[in-house]
Amino acid sequence: MLMTAEELADLIRFRAGNTPVEFGLILGSGLGHLADAVEGEAIGYSELAGFPQPGVSGHNPKLVVGDLLGHRVAIFGARAHYYEHGNAAEMRVPLETLKALGAKRLLLTNAAGSLRDDLPPGELMLITDHINFAGTNPLIGEATDKRFVPLGDAYDAGMRDGLGAAARDEGIALSKGTYAWLSGPSFETPAEIRAIRMLGADAVGMSTVPEVILARFFGLEVAAISAITNMGEGLSDEKLSHEHTKQNAVAGAEKLERVIRRYLGDG
Ligand code: HPA
């Protein structure tokens, strides 16, 4: 049975309590440990009709709602990707539910390939803008004029400043850059990487952009950080694989967790 976002929010409040959520967090491949630090209720996506039932290993399909460093948070331990079923709007119901729970802000993380020599694996990149190279959009089919979402300020200036300050305070380098969304699930060819780099992207990945577009549609403030797991195909000799991504996410995950904790703790 399909449930509306309001009904899902009621169910979540019944389980986790009525305190309005402030922040949503969507954690990428191998980056989900923060959810374990939350004092609260974990609800499997399988209990939430309309939430995606993710199949990518390294993702943890539960929503954790509770308290983290003085903030009420909802952590999505898994995201659905466009490449799973060809539906760019798979995260629409979760994000609408987040909005219905009272959230104002969404922080996203992902694993990404780097297109820049000064941004090697293990580094973090604060996304300041994106390029949608996937040839689709999660708002296709939305019937109202709300679909014409402006994206000039998609990545919130205040959140970016806060995350930048948090990284500085932790002594962690946080580069800034443009993230290119490609559909996947195959990795890119060396020629694609050269082309994307020439067109102004700094990192490449298979997620985040549809969620950013949906979150802006629902009026959430958004910030996103990439943990660089590899150089883009052809820029180094490493062999790319999902295993490789997950293994290399560990270095970035530790830094990412420190930046997010400092950001929440100071906010
Ligand atoms: N390309 C696309 N997605 C990715 C990559 C990459 O090189 N690394 C991690 N996610």
Side-chain angles (χ1 to χ4, degrees), residues 5 8 24-28 45 50-54 59-63 74-82 84-99 106-109 137-139 181 206-218 220:
L8 285 159
L25 288 100
I26 300 182
L27 306 173
Y45 282 12
F51 272 51
Q53 308 299 317
H59 289 249
N60 187 8
K62 64 184 184 193
L63 174 69
I75 301 195
F76 297 81
R79 54 157 52 99
H81 299 82
Y82 172 57
E84 290 173 57
H85 306 106
N87 174 14
E90 290 227 41
M91 291 300 282
R92 181 171 172 140
V93 170
L95 288 169
E96 192 171 8
T97 303
L98 178 66
K99 176 76 178 175
L106 174 68
L107 179 55
L108 302 131
T109 68
N137 190 296
L139 295 176
W181 175 38
M206 307 176 192
S207 70
T208 305
V209 168
E211 294 145 358
V212 170
I213 295 170
L214 288 165
R216 295 303 297 144
F217 176 71
F218 290 122
L220 296 163

Side-chain angles (χ1 to χ4, degrees), residues 29 83 110-115 179-180 182-188 193 203-207 227-233 238 240-242 244-246:
S29 293
Y83 60 70
N110 62 42
S114 171
L115 307 180
Y179 174 89
L182 278 83
S183 77
S186 59
F187 285 99
E188 299 72 34
I193 289 294
V204 59
M206 307 176 192
S207 70
I228 301 298
T229 53
N230 57 276
M231 297 306 292
E233 188 66 89
E238 18 170 25
L240 301 190
S241 69
H242 189 56
H244 182 83
T245 298
K246 281 191 292 179

